[in-house]
Amino acid sequence: MDYATLFPFWNQLTEAQKAAISDACYTETHKKGDLMHRSNENCKGLMTVLSGQLRTYILSEEGREVTLFRVYQGDVCVLSASCLLDSIDFDVMIEATENTEVLILPTLCLNAIMKENPHAELFLYKTATEKFSDVMWTMQQILFRKIDQRLSAFLLEEMHRHSTTELRLTHEEIATYIGSAREVVSKVLKYLAETGAITQGRGSIHIKDEGLLKKLS
């Protein structure tokens, strides 16, 4: 395992601290749809995505899910160690949105190293700050942009991320990602299809006119 690539603070650790991390870290595999973490029930530690994808979200009292951000291969999910961040006191859920393997640095080990080494603590807070920028962007999208703009922008982002115009996504999945209702997403996708920007198949969306989709976003 290349810990120097996974943890940017690795080279600032002592040999004893490196050994502690190597001994403590372990991997977990989860299937698509597994709830991997809920912050009011446990605090696993720092998760690094080795393969797959995670979704971090909150749940309203009415049961509505709002996706805060997604975490991709090679990225760190800092909110799985939220108990080490004094300012975070809300319930956060983390779900595998694909078959996923993660490397976990347990809270007990990470907390001990943070107390000894400021570079580890700085990394944790810096990463949390970056993720909260993503959260603020998500809230701005939900509050200030129309649903057709948000959906068009989402499809373009997925197209570029996967380097394909054929997206394997259900209406329910899209609604979950952009913080809307499935029925609303279905109506907007129908509208986008009528404009010629996309075509729809069973469980898939084909982007036909990227330029038009950009105008709509």
Side-chain angles (χ1 to χ4, degrees):
M1 190 73 66
D2 185 3
Y3 291 108
T5 299
L6 298 174
F7 303 129
F9 56 87
W10 181 259
N11 291 330
Q12 280 74 45
L13 297 175
T14 65
E15 291 305 315
Q17 290 165 348
K18 291 178 180 179
I21 288 179
S22 299
D23 291 340
C25 280
Y26 63 97
T27 60
E28 282 187 353
T29 56
H30 292 269
K31 293 182 180 179
K32 179 179 179 179
D34 284 355
L35 181 63
M36 299 172 58
H37 171 85
R38 184 165 186 163
S39 57
N40 68 349
E41 294 179 353
N42 59 62
C43 188
K44 280 189 170 183
L46 198 65
M47 286 186 190
T48 302
V49 180
L50 301 178
S51 64
Q53 178 182 286
L54 304 179
R55 178 174 72 100
T56 300
Y57 66 98
I58 55 176
L59 194 65
S60 72
E61 293 182 358
E62 296 78 24
R64 180 187 175 189
E65 296 179 4
V66 177
T67 299
L68 301 178
F69 55 83
R70 286 181 285 168
V71 185
Y72 306 112
Q73 182 176 338
D75 291 337
V76 169
C77 186
V78 69
L79 292 188
S80 57
S82 58
C83 58
L84 299 179
L85 301 168
D86 297 335
S87 58
I88 299 180
D89 59 0
F90 54 89
D91 192 14
V92 176
M93 266 102 19
I94 300 172
E95 173 193 45
T97 52
E98 299 175 359
N99 293 337
T100 301
E101 181 180 20
V102 294
L103 178 76
I104 299 176
L105 173 55
T107 302
L108 189 61
C109 178
L110 178 58
N111 189 38
I113 290 174
M114 284 172 58
K115 290 178 179 178
E116 299 172 355
N117 192 309
H119 294 285
E121 184 176 25
L122 179 62
F123 167 76
L124 194 66
Y125 278 97
K126 181 177 182 292
T127 305
T129 300
E130 291 171 351
K131 290 304 179 185
F132 276 110
S133 294
D134 293 341
V135 171
M136 290 304 298
W137 183 87
T138 298
M139 294 300 107
Q140 287 176 337
Q141 297 298 302
I142 293 174
L143 292 172
F144 302 123
R145 297 192 73 189
K146 295 179 180 178
I147 182 64
D148 58 331
Q149 294 175 318
R150 287 162 48 204
L151 182 47
S152 298
F154 171 80
L155 294 177
L156 287 170
E157 178 186 351
E158 290 296 291
M159 181 188 74
H160 290 300
R161 191 170 71 83
H162 293 288
S163 299
T164 179
T165 57
E166 191 76 25
L167 304 177
R168 303 296 300 180
L169 290 164
T170 67
H171 295 193
E172 186 70 40
E173 286 174 328
I174 295 172
T176 297
Y177 290 143
I178 69 172
S180 185
R182 183 187 58 78
E183 294 80 8
V184 174
V185 167
S186 296
K187 289 180 181 178
V188 177
L189 286 173
K190 182 180 178 181
Y191 161 71
L192 293 179
E194 289 172 351
T195 67
I198 67 168
T199 56
Q200 296 191 77
R202 187 176 181 85
S204 68
I205 297 166
H206 184 205
I207 296 175
K208 300 287 290 183
D209 192 330
E210 181 182 355
L212 178 56
L213 208 56
K214 284 181 179 177
K215 290 181 181 179
L216 293 169
S217 67

